[in-house]
């Protein structure tokens, strides 16, 4: 049982490049999330999904896109990378929202944009 | 003022000490989560609380909804407890608000 798997673990991008952060979970969780963690700040929600085919914006969605074609996968796309997107990105999943169920987090992707 | 405040920001302890980390919040919530972030960066969910107290091994979490305050206690602390402990509250559907974390170092 792998839980939530994120790839890659590290990446350096040049300004203007694009990339996709992959996230896969094998727990049949319906809710999935993308967060970013900046130094000295709490995690901020980028996008989330309540099920296949449904996505919604979080607090900081600008510069990102997501898709949820299957229950298992929730990739995060960065278009035209900017230095402000240098951060650690975490994917997470839960059974049915955040209120009454715990989260399972991926191991994170450390992204640097230069 | 942040909606979720944790104290202290940094905490150093000797092995065996009793540890308390505090979390205060200013919004109405339906649940509060305590998370542990390892030095390598991974995040693990420790507790989800909506009232009262929960215990898991040497970890105890309490919440006082009226006072909008929660505490995480670690009994008989050990160097392997060294990590960042994060408090997060659920304000509305699908929205968690995270504190900035408390960095704990336990020395032998």
């Amino acid at each position: 049982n792998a839980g939530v798997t994120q790839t890659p673990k590290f990446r350096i991008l040049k300004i203007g490049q694009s990339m996709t952060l992959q996230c896969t979970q094998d727990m049949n969780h319906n809710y999935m999330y993308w967060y970013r963690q900046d130094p000295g700040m709490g995690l901020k929600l980028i996008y989330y999904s309540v099920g296949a085919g449904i996505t919604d914006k979080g607090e900081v969605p600008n510069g990102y896109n997501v898709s949820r074609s299957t229950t298992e996968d929730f990739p995060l796309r960065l278009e035209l990378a900017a230095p402000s997107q240098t951060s650690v990105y975490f994917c997470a999943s839960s059974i049915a929202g955040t209120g009454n169920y715990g989260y399972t987090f991926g191991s994170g992707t450390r992204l640097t944009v230069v | 003022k942040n909606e979720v405040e944790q104290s202290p920001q940094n905490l150093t302890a000797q092995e065996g000490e009793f540890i308390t980390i505090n979390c205060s919040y200013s919004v109405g919530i339906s649940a509060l989560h305590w998370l542990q972030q390892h030095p390598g960066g991974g995040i693990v969910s420790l507790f989800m609380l909506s009232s009262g107290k929960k215990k898991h091994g040497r970890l105890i979490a309490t919440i006082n909804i009226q006072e909008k305050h929660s505490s995480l206690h670690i009994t008989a602390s050990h160097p392997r407890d060294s990590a960042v402990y994060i408090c997060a509250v659920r304000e509305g559907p699908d929205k968690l608000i995270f504190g900035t974390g408390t960095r704990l170092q336990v020395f032998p």
Side-chain angles (χ1 to χ4, degrees), chain A residues 31 35 37 43 90 98-99 103, chain B residues 31 33 37 41 45 90 94 96:
Chain A
Y31 280 58
Y35 292 94
Q37 184 180 39
L43 279 78
F90 288 95
T98 64
Y103 276 74
Chain B
H33 296 253
Q37 185 167 24
S45 181
R90 182 200 183 202
D94 311 307
L96 280 185

Side-chain angles (χ1 to χ4, degrees), chain A residues 2-3 14 21 24 27 32 38 41 62 68 77 83 85 95 101-102:
Chain A
K14 293 184 178 178
L21 281 67
T24 299
M27 298 169 288
M32 295 187 75
D38 299 316
M41 306 286 288
N62 291 344
R68 184 94 182 269
R77 178 84 177 161
Q85 294 177 304
I95 294 175
Y101 300 91

Side-chain angles (χ1 to χ4, degrees), chain B residues 16 27 40 47 55 64 66 76 84-85 88 97-98 100 102 107:
Chain B
V27 296
F47 294 104
K55 184 176 188 292
N64 185 317
Q66 288 73 30
V84 175
Y85 292 85
I97 305 172
F98 291 82
T100 55
T102 294
F107 293 98

Side-chain angles (χ1 to χ4, degrees), chain A residues 31 33 35 37 40-45 48 50 59 88 90 96-108 110, chain B residues 30-33 35 37 40-45 48-50 84 86 90-101:
Chain A
Y31 280 58
Y33 315 83
Y35 292 94
Q37 184 180 39
M41 306 286 288
L43 279 78
K44 299 290 185 186
L45 182 64
Y48 69 101
V50 302
E59 300 171 77
V88 181
F90 288 95
T98 64
N100 298 309
Y101 300 91
Y103 276 74
T104 301
F105 284 83
S107 56
R110 186 174 295 274
Chain B
S30 58
L32 181 144
H33 296 253
L35 309 167
Q37 185 167 24
I43 298 175
V44 175
S45 181
M48 191 279 300
L49 291 164
S50 54
V84 175
I86 301 170
R90 182 200 183 202
E91 182 187 23
D94 311 307
K95 183 182 179 184
L96 280 185
I97 305 172
F98 291 82
T100 55

Side-chain angles (χ1 to χ4, degrees), chain B residues 3-107:
Chain B
E3 292 167 301
V4 180
E5 297 272 2
Q6 287 186 237
S7 63
Q9 287 187 305
N10 295 284
L11 184 55
T12 301
Q14 289 295 124
E15 184 173 355
E17 286 186 7
F18 181 84
I19 305 290
T20 295
I21 299 170
N22 296 298
C23 176
S24 296
Y25 52 91
S26 58
V27 296
I29 70 167
S30 58
L32 181 144
H33 296 253
W34 281 103
L35 309 167
Q36 180 191 54
Q37 185 167 24
H38 299 296
I43 298 175
V44 175
S45 181
L46 297 175
F47 294 104
M48 191 279 300
L49 291 164
S50 54
S51 65
K53 175 180 173 178
K54 286 190 176 179
K55 184 176 188 292
H56 181 71
R58 295 179 295 106
L59 300 178
I60 303 166
T62 64
I63 188 168
N64 185 317
I65 296 292
Q66 288 73 30
E67 294 186 4
K68 296 188 175 180
H69 182 268
S70 176
S71 292
L72 177 68
H73 305 286
I74 305 175
T75 62
S77 59
H78 189 276
R80 64 175 174 267
D81 297 325
S82 298
V84 175
Y85 292 85
I86 301 170
C87 170
V89 302
R90 182 200 183 202
E91 182 187 23
D94 311 307
K95 183 182 179 184
L96 280 185
I97 305 172
F98 291 82
T100 55
T102 294
R103 184 175 300 277
L104 171 66
Q105 289 185 292
V106 182
F107 293 98

